[in-house]
Amino acid sequence: GAGVSQSPRYKVAKRGQDVALRCDPISGHVSLFWYQQALGQGPEFLTYFQNEAQLDKSGLPSDRFFAERPEGSVSTLKIQRTQQEDSAVYLCASSIFGGPSYEQYFGPGTRLTVT
Amino acid sequence: AQKVTQAQTEISVVEKEDVTLDCVYETRDTTYYLFWYKQPPSGELVFLIRRNSFDEQNEISGRYSWNFQKSTSSFNFTITASQVVDSAVYFCALRRSEGAQKLVFGQGTRLTINP
């Protein structure tokens, strides 16, 4: 079956540009997560949606980062005025429900390079 | 606060050797979940195991086994008779049983199995 997909897989942006990263979760999955993975590090939580509601955005590093999931399925992570420290792999994950006993299934990630 | 520590940054062994990946966690919660994920070169995180803090029984799945010791806050992962295909970065993660649903990851251990 189809897993979590993300697009684009690679993105190069010049410093100051805005970028939008897309996540298509597994069909029917209620919960959706975004994580940021810097080179050589573990993923770090950015934000969490249950359906269209953004229940936790405590991990967003600044107000330049914005995420939405307007219809409760596809999600977009937007980064405004990109900076070099934003260079990382952005991982999206979905789970069928929001409870802690449900696995999060990860997509392949979008590698963002800011030059 | 929650924290996961994987002290081994890199491990390199020869094929067929046994190898143990260490994971130590910190949490003030009495109930929580622990996870192991594998990240092959393709980048996608692959779920390996989930363990509830109530269940301290060790688990074996083929060549993989996990040792959960609540008294020492450790959740170690052993691969028996390692194979080249086991080469990847392995992450240990912690998740609360209530409240925030995010995964808190360790920094990962890069495992290289040499033929």
Side-chain angles (χ1 to χ4, degrees):
Chain A
V4 178
S5 61
Q6 294 185 244
S7 61
R9 290 293 313 277
Y10 304 91
K11 176 70 178 177
V12 178
K14 291 186 177 178
R15 189 174 56 184
Q17 283 185 333
D18 298 348
V19 298
L21 313 180
R22 177 187 169 107
C23 172
D24 283 83
I26 294 172
S27 178
H29 277 199
V30 167
S31 297
L32 186 146
F33 303 80
W34 283 99
Y35 293 86
Q36 180 190 58
Q37 186 175 19
L39 188 65
Q41 304 294 317
E44 291 193 358
F45 170 78
L46 292 176
T47 187
Y48 160 56
F49 290 86
Q50 189 163 310
N51 295 307
E52 68 278 4
Q54 189 174 21
L55 298 187
D56 187 351
K57 54 182 180 180
S58 62
L60 296 176
S62 76
D63 58 8
R64 297 186 296 104
F65 286 71
F66 172 76
E68 60 183 5
R69 195 186 184 197
E71 297 179 357
S73 54
V74 171
S75 177
T76 303
L77 176 67
K78 297 179 180 178
I79 308 174
Q80 297 177 326
R81 304 181 304 281
T82 53
Q83 300 178 6
Q84 285 194 318
E85 59 261 33
D86 300 334
S87 295
V89 175
Y90 290 85
L91 296 167
C92 176
S94 70
S95 65
I96 189 164
F97 293 120
S101 61
Y102 298 99
E103 293 94 76
Q104 294 181 21
Y105 296 88
F106 283 81
T110 294
R111 182 177 297 277
L112 172 65
T113 303
V114 181
T115 61
Chain B
Q2 300 189 311
K3 184 178 179 181
V4 176
T5 300
Q6 295 178 255
Q8 303 151 310
T9 305
E10 294 191 32
I11 299 176
S12 180
V13 301
V14 176
E15 197 172 20
K16 297 184 184 178
E17 287 187 15
D18 299 348
V19 58
T20 295
L21 309 182
D22 297 334
C23 172
V24 174
Y25 62 91
E26 296 175 30
T27 180
R28 294 179 182 174
D29 295 344
T30 54
T31 61
Y32 46 88
Y33 288 81
L34 295 164
F35 300 78
W36 276 93
Y37 280 86
K38 175 182 181 179
Q39 189 172 44
S42 61
E44 195 163 330
L45 282 164
V46 177
F47 166 81
L48 295 178
I49 190 172
R50 178 188 66 245
R51 171 63 70 211
N52 185 316
S53 58
F54 284 120
D55 183 3
E56 290 195 63
Q57 283 193 348
N58 293 329
E59 182 156 340
I60 299 175
S61 176
R63 296 183 297 106
Y64 295 171
S65 62
W66 290 271
N67 184 330
F68 177 32
Q69 298 267 352
K70 204 168 182 179
S71 60
T72 57
S73 298
S74 65
F75 186 43
N76 296 337
F77 172 32
T78 298
I79 301 175
T80 302
S82 60
Q83 299 176 2
V84 173
V85 294
D86 296 327
S87 296
V89 181
Y90 290 86
F91 291 97
C92 180
L94 173 66
R95 189 178 184 185
R96 305 185 72 182
S97 60
E98 295 182 9
Q101 296 304 308
K102 63 184 179 182
L103 286 165
V104 175
F105 287 88
Q107 292 203 316
T109 297
R110 179 177 297 278
L111 177 63
T112 302
I113 310 298
N114 298 299

